Amino acid sequence: MSSASPHPNDYPELTAELMATGRDFHTRGWSLATSSNYSVVVHRDPLRLLLTGSGFDKGRLTPAQFVIVDGDGKRLDDAQPKPSAETRLHTVLANIAGAGSVLHTHSVWATVLSERHASAGVLELAGYEMIKAFTGITTHEDRVRIAIVPNTQDIEALALQLEGRLRAGDPNLRHGFLMAGHGLYTWGKDIPEARRHIEACEFLFEVYARKYSTIS
Amino acid sequence: MSSASPHPNDYPELTAELMATGRDFHTRGWSLATSSNYSVVVHRDPLRLLLTGSGFDKGRLTPAQFVIVDGDGKRLDDAQPKPSAETRLHTVLANIAGAGSVLHTHSVWATVLSERHASAGVLELAGYEMIKAFTGITTHEDRVRIAIVPNTQDIEALALQLEGRLRAGDPNLRHGFLMAGHGLYTWGKDIPEARRHIEACEFLFEVYARKYSTIS
Amino acid sequence: MSSASPHPNDYPELTAELMATGRDFHTRGWSLATSSNYSVVVHRDPLRLLLTGSGFDKGRLTPAQFVIVDGDGKRLDDAQPKPSAETRLHTVLANIAGAGSVLHTHSVWATVLSERHASAGVLELAGYEMIKAFTGITTHEDRVRIAIVPNTQDIEALALQLEGRLRAGDPNLRHGFLMAGHGLYTWGKDIPEARRHIEACEFLFEVYARKYSTIS
Amino acid sequence: MSSASPHPNDYPELTAELMATGRDFHTRGWSLATSSNYSVVVHRDPLRLLLTGSGFDKGRLTPAQFVIVDGDGKRLDDAQPKPSAETRLHTVLANIAGAGSVLHTHSVWATVLSERHASAGVLELAGYEMIKAFTGITTHEDRVRIAIVPNTQDIEALALQLEGRLRAGDPNLRHGFLMAGHGLYTWGKDIPEARRHIEACEFLFEVYARKYSTIS
């Protein structure tokens, strides 16, 4: 099998790592009701991603529920599961943002905050030690800006819009973005870095939501 | 043993799946204190349901704690556990709504929201990506309407009322209903679909409860 | 070994059940920081209780961390761990309320509500299906009244006060009581019934706390 | 190998205990996104600490992710992982406060409360039974005062400031301190005592945050 036409079974460690990620995120309530999708780059030139198939329970993923897609988000083998409708967001992030792994989750806090700040188009996280968990941030005095885009079912249009903003070096797209009323996309050079970014975002979302709801 | 007189032991995979469902829901706090009941259709014509018996800890279900009931909600064998007092709601949903599995849970958010919206008789979930987890919903711009009925100990009367509304195609009864101060009923063609609906409802209930409690 | 002088090792199933209870309650945050104590009656006439020793992590209890006490709350064998300072509350409940098992927990919601309602001396739980989890309650239209007493380090005085109220049939002491800023005591005929009561109380405490904090 | 130049592999039980601590704290959300660091004293005169290395996922620590440091917080062997940037806080607490184990966590409630009370420079915990979990506190009528210091990236300056306050017997530094917008440091004579202090702090932080957000 050539490297340009790989099969999920070729990557038992990466599928196991994404399965463990799914169990953890499902337990935490970030990937309920078959929501979310996770990917990891397994080849560059041409680009190949190992991705969760569409519609599976993320708390109980099996190796047969993964699919390999190309740089356009198309599966190479129709015998593999159907890729998520949002696959093109993964390939844009892998292609343009240089992501080695992309994790997309649906948490309660991300949903609540993405709606509340939707009109601003950005959620700024600043002043907390936890922002140092984002690659490239070395002090709590720095700031992390998470873009918020309207939710849409036209993923192709969103992918093109994000591609343009990423190519232009949009500072609000360095670490992740929220789709309003939908969920969070973050990424990293590998699965552990992408997980660290998800955990940091979710922690900070909860801090921001609670700090305004619990003032004495 | 004829298919019209089955025994819980005939369905080891389905009992195992409902036991796993109970462990997960108990851990999440949706089935505490022996509350909740779960069923799956094991035969049609005549209708037979595999159902959790009354009064058992849902976090530690055993195969001996299940019972087979007929289309009227009566157990076929008195040596099996007593069925839940709410069994007739399961049989109505299997008979009229075509449910293959019915899951009933008692969560904190369902209890709080069912009381708050009781006078409206419905809770409308709209504008969130998570509503796509409900079968038949394909865009976040659609809406899911969950009927709210008053709590009652007269389950037979409630079963008849629901039967009438379901036969009339009540649009608020397509996905589930809440009993005020009591809990949630949802269903699906099989256990995984019913679980997906429970998880989507609980996620959205928490979003609705929190979005109004955390406005800055 | 006579039945009047038993040893924790004589009751491997009961110690295992209390150890599992501790792991669950610690995970839920109801028994953090070595707080809480649990007991089960192992003999009547004379009364003997199997009880958690003082100061142990309830999430990691071992068989050697249990002690047998008599009807006055004194250990029979000084080689066994020191009983909790609150042991006399367990023996009063076993003696006067007829408890077969007593569970005491420290949850956040119990702490918050016990303070808020302390001046009323009682927290009334009514109108929720979950109150049917309390033995003797058959409809949600009934009510469960949980006494609230001030916290004290004089456990002997509190034990005598509770003994008097229980002998007088105080209706606020049928299901459990709260010590303000401290925690919850409930009981049952055996460990499963006491667990059911703890879970029902904690569920309802959270409902009461959240229903007033999340009104839109 | 002399006792002054030990290796993490010399302490399999202590590394296992800190690994289990990490799994528990990560599950609870107190050590997400590779945040937190944990240590235990393995030798005095000269001082040697077994410490978590920098940048590892605390939910999945391995024995190879620990490092031995000396009394100045320097690793003895460059083949071992890089120690945390905050190592000097651990050595000051071991040297001056007599800590046998130091645990540092990043929880949502600690972050929210540390900001809210930052200008006071202290958070006072009083009137709750749970304060008895702190060593030396024997009644709920006592009080525990947790110092709050501004967050900083100049750890050496903070270490010197804490050293001075500890030597002067500052009553706000008997049990732990918060770094504003950052997290909690507590300690104990050994790992179990330090864990008890972390759990007691986190419980009380949640009580304080919720009591003001849920008033009816």
Side-chain angles (χ1 to χ4, degrees):
Chain A
M1 181 176 289
S2 84
S3 58
S5 180
H7 188 279
N9 290 349
D10 300 334
Y11 306 98
E13 291 181 14
L14 294 174
T15 51
E17 198 169 348
L18 290 178
M19 287 161 60
T21 298
R23 283 191 298 274
D24 186 30
F25 287 7
H26 185 264
T27 296
R28 292 183 190 274
W30 300 346
S31 293
L32 292 177
T34 78
S35 71
S36 302
N37 38 71
Y38 321 135
S39 71
V40 60
V41 172
V42 295
H43 197 262
R44 295 232 176 233
D45 302 315
L47 185 68
R48 298 291 182 261
L49 281 83
L50 173 72
L51 180 83
T52 46
S54 179
F56 299 116
D57 182 339
K58 297 306 178 297
R60 300 189 286 180
L61 286 170
T62 66
Q65 295 174 337
F66 287 84
V67 54
I68 300 284
V69 296
D70 66 16
D72 295 321
K74 306 296 182 192
R75 63 183 155 177
L76 302 178
D77 176 355
D78 285 354
Q80 292 175 21
K82 195 182 153 199
S84 162
E86 297 173 27
T87 301
R88 277 283 284 138
L89 304 182
H90 290 251
T91 58
V92 164
L93 292 166
N95 268 319
I96 317 299
S101 173
V102 178
L103 298 177
H104 168 49
T105 49
H106 290 214
S107 80
V108 167
W109 296 119
T111 303
V112 168
L113 284 187
S114 66
E115 270 201 306
R116 191 181 303 166
H117 296 269
S119 63
V122 69
L123 178 65
E124 183 173 291
L125 309 169
Y128 293 100
E129 183 72 9
M130 189 60 90
I131 65 170
K132 290 170 59 184
F134 293 97
T135 295
I137 303 289
T138 58
T139 163
H140 66 281
E141 291 166 343
D142 208 336
R143 61 196 59 219
V144 169
R145 294 170 61 91
I146 306 288
I148 306 178
V149 299
N151 197 18
T152 178
Q153 301 305 318
D154 187 347
I155 295 298
E156 184 58 29
L158 177 58
L160 291 173
Q161 180 202 331
L162 289 169
E163 187 170 331
R165 291 177 64 174
L166 285 164
R167 286 192 191 281
D170 189 324
N172 296 356
L173 280 172
R174 282 187 193 147
H175 305 286
F177 64 89
L178 286 160
M179 298 166 77
H182 177 150
L184 170 70
Y185 271 86
T186 59
W187 55 89
K189 68 177 192 286
D190 52 20
I191 301 172
E193 188 173 277
R195 282 186 72 159
R196 196 178 76 224
H197 290 165
I198 285 275
E199 290 185 0
C201 281
E202 289 297 338
F203 177 91
L204 289 163
F205 293 164
E206 187 175 346
V207 167
Y208 273 78
R210 291 201 188 279
K211 72 187 281 192
Y212 292 117
S213 69
T214 57
I215 287 172
S216 57
Chain B
M1 182 175 288
S2 84
S3 58
S5 181
H7 188 279
N9 290 349
D10 299 335
Y11 306 98
E13 291 180 14
L14 293 173
T15 51
E17 198 170 348
L18 290 179
M19 287 161 60
T21 298
R23 283 192 297 273
D24 185 31
F25 287 6
H26 185 264
T27 297
R28 292 184 190 274
W30 300 346
S31 294
L32 293 176
T34 79
S35 72
S36 302
N37 38 72
Y38 320 135
S39 70
V40 60
V41 172
V42 295
H43 197 262
R44 294 231 176 235
D45 302 315
L47 185 68
R48 298 290 181 262
L49 281 84
L50 173 72
L51 180 83
T52 47
S54 178
F56 298 116
D57 182 339
K58 297 308 177 295
R60 300 189 287 180
L61 287 170
T62 66
Q65 294 174 337
F66 288 83
V67 54
I68 301 284
V69 297
D70 67 15
D72 295 321
K74 305 296 182 193
R75 62 183 155 177
L76 302 178
D77 177 354
D78 284 355
Q80 293 174 23
K82 194 180 153 199
S84 161
E86 297 172 28
T87 301
R88 277 283 285 140
L89 304 182
H90 290 250
T91 58
V92 163
L93 292 166
N95 268 318
I96 317 298
S101 174
V102 178
L103 298 177
H104 168 48
T105 49
H106 289 215
S107 79
V108 167
W109 295 120
T111 302
V112 169
L113 284 187
S114 67
E115 270 201 306
R116 191 182 301 165
H117 297 268
S119 62
V122 68
L123 178 65
E124 184 173 290
L125 308 170
Y128 292 99
E129 182 73 7
M130 189 59 89
I131 64 170
K132 290 170 60 184
F134 292 97
T135 296
I137 303 289
T138 58
T139 164
H140 67 280
E141 292 165 343
D142 208 337
R143 61 196 59 218
V144 168
R145 294 171 61 91
I146 305 288
I148 306 178
V149 298
N151 197 18
T152 177
Q153 301 305 318
D154 187 347
I155 295 297
E156 184 58 28
L158 176 59
L160 291 173
Q161 180 203 330
L162 289 169
E163 187 171 330
R165 290 177 65 174
L166 286 164
R167 287 193 190 280
D170 189 325
N172 296 353
L173 280 173
R174 282 187 194 147
H175 305 285
F177 63 90
L178 287 160
M179 297 167 76
H182 177 151
L184 170 70
Y185 272 87
T186 59
W187 54 90
K189 68 176 193 284
D190 51 20
I191 300 172
E193 188 173 276
R195 282 186 74 159
R196 197 177 76 223
H197 291 165
I198 285 274
E199 291 185 359
C201 282
E202 289 296 339
F203 176 90
L204 289 163
F205 293 165
E206 187 174 345
V207 166
Y208 273 78
R210 291 202 187 277
K211 72 187 281 191
Y212 292 117
S213 68
T214 56
I215 288 172
S216 57
Chain C
M1 182 177 289
S2 85
S3 58
S5 180
H7 188 278
N9 290 350
D10 300 334
Y11 307 98
E13 291 180 14
L14 294 174
T15 51
E17 198 169 348
L18 290 178
M19 287 161 60
T21 298
R23 283 192 297 273
D24 186 31
F25 288 7
H26 185 264
T27 297
R28 293 184 190 274
W30 300 345
S31 293
L32 293 176
T34 79
S35 71
S36 302
N37 38 71
Y38 321 135
S39 71
V40 59
V41 172
V42 295
H43 197 262
R44 295 233 176 233
D45 301 314
L47 185 69
R48 299 290 181 262
L49 281 84
L50 174 72
L51 180 84
T52 47
S54 178
F56 298 116
D57 182 338
K58 297 306 179 296
R60 300 190 287 180
L61 286 171
T62 66
Q65 294 174 338
F66 287 83
V67 54
I68 301 284
V69 296
D70 65 16
D72 296 321
K74 307 295 182 195
R75 62 182 156 178
L76 302 178
D77 177 355
D78 284 355
Q80 293 174 22
K82 196 181 153 200
S84 160
E86 297 173 28
T87 302
R88 277 283 285 139
L89 304 183
H90 289 251
T91 58
V92 163
L93 291 166
N95 268 319
I96 317 298
S101 174
V102 178
L103 299 177
H104 168 49
T105 49
H106 289 214
S107 79
V108 167
W109 295 120
T111 302
V112 168
L113 284 187
S114 67
E115 270 201 306
R116 191 183 303 165
H117 297 267
S119 63
V122 68
L123 177 66
E124 183 173 292
L125 308 170
Y128 292 99
E129 183 72 8
M130 189 60 90
I131 64 170
K132 289 170 61 183
F134 293 97
T135 295
I137 303 289
T138 59
T139 164
H140 66 281
E141 292 166 342
D142 209 337
R143 61 196 59 218
V144 168
R145 294 170 61 91
I146 305 288
I148 306 177
V149 299
N151 196 19
T152 177
Q153 301 305 317
D154 186 347
I155 295 297
E156 184 58 28
L158 176 58
L160 291 174
Q161 180 203 332
L162 288 169
E163 187 170 331
R165 291 177 65 174
L166 285 164
R167 286 192 191 280
D170 188 326
N172 295 355
L173 280 172
R174 283 187 192 146
H175 305 286
F177 64 89
L178 287 160
M179 297 167 77
H182 177 151
L184 170 70
Y185 271 85
T186 58
W187 55 90
K189 68 177 192 286
D190 51 21
I191 300 171
E193 189 173 276
R195 281 186 73 160
R196 197 177 75 222
H197 290 164
I198 286 273
E199 290 185 0
C201 282
E202 289 296 339
F203 176 90
L204 289 163
F205 293 164
E206 187 175 347
V207 166
Y208 272 79
R210 292 201 187 277
K211 72 186 282 190
Y212 292 117
S213 69
T214 57
I215 287 173
S216 57
Chain D
M1 181 176 287
S2 85
S3 57
S5 181
H7 189 278
N9 291 349
D10 299 335
Y11 306 98
E13 292 180 14
L14 293 174
T15 51
E17 198 169 349
L18 291 178
M19 286 161 62
T21 298
R23 283 192 298 272
D24 185 31
F25 288 6
H26 185 264
T27 297
R28 292 183 191 275
W30 300 346
S31 293
L32 292 176
T34 78
S35 71
S36 302
N37 38 72
Y38 321 134
S39 71
V40 58
V41 171
V42 295
H43 197 263
R44 295 235 176 232
D45 302 314
L47 185 68
R48 298 291 181 261
L49 281 84
L50 173 72
L51 180 84
T52 47
S54 178
F56 298 116
D57 181 338
K58 296 308 178 295
R60 300 189 286 180
L61 287 170
T62 66
Q65 295 175 337
F66 288 84
V67 53
I68 301 283
V69 296
D70 66 16
D72 294 321
K74 306 295 182 194
R75 61 183 157 178
L76 302 179
D77 176 354
D78 284 354
Q80 293 174 22
K82 194 180 154 200
S84 161
E86 297 172 28
T87 302
R88 275 283 284 139
L89 304 182
H90 290 251
T91 58
V92 163
L93 292 166
N95 268 319
I96 316 299
S101 173
V102 178
L103 298 177
H104 168 48
T105 49
H106 289 215
S107 79
V108 167
W109 296 120
T111 303
V112 169
L113 285 187
S114 67
E115 270 202 306
R116 191 181 303 164
H117 297 268
S119 63
V122 68
L123 177 65
E124 183 174 292
L125 309 170
Y128 293 100
E129 184 72 8
M130 189 60 89
I131 64 171
K132 290 169 61 183
F134 293 97
T135 295
I137 304 289
T138 59
T139 164
H140 66 281
E141 292 166 343
D142 209 336
R143 62 195 58 219
V144 168
R145 294 171 61 91
I146 305 288
I148 306 178
V149 298
N151 197 19
T152 177
Q153 301 305 319
D154 187 347
I155 294 298
E156 184 58 29
L158 176 59
L160 290 174
Q161 179 203 332
L162 288 169
E163 186 171 331
R165 290 177 65 175
L166 285 164
R167 287 192 191 281
D170 189 325
N172 296 355
L173 280 173
R174 283 187 193 148
H175 305 285
F177 63 90
L178 286 160
M179 297 166 77
H182 177 151
L184 170 69
Y185 271 86
T186 58
W187 55 89
K189 69 177 191 287
D190 51 21
I191 300 172
E193 188 173 276
R195 283 187 71 160
R196 197 177 75 223
H197 290 165
I198 285 274
E199 290 185 359
C201 282
E202 289 295 341
F203 177 90
L204 289 162
F205 292 164
E206 187 175 346
V207 166
Y208 273 78
R210 293 202 186 277
K211 72 187 282 189
Y212 293 116
S213 68
T214 57
I215 287 172
S216 56

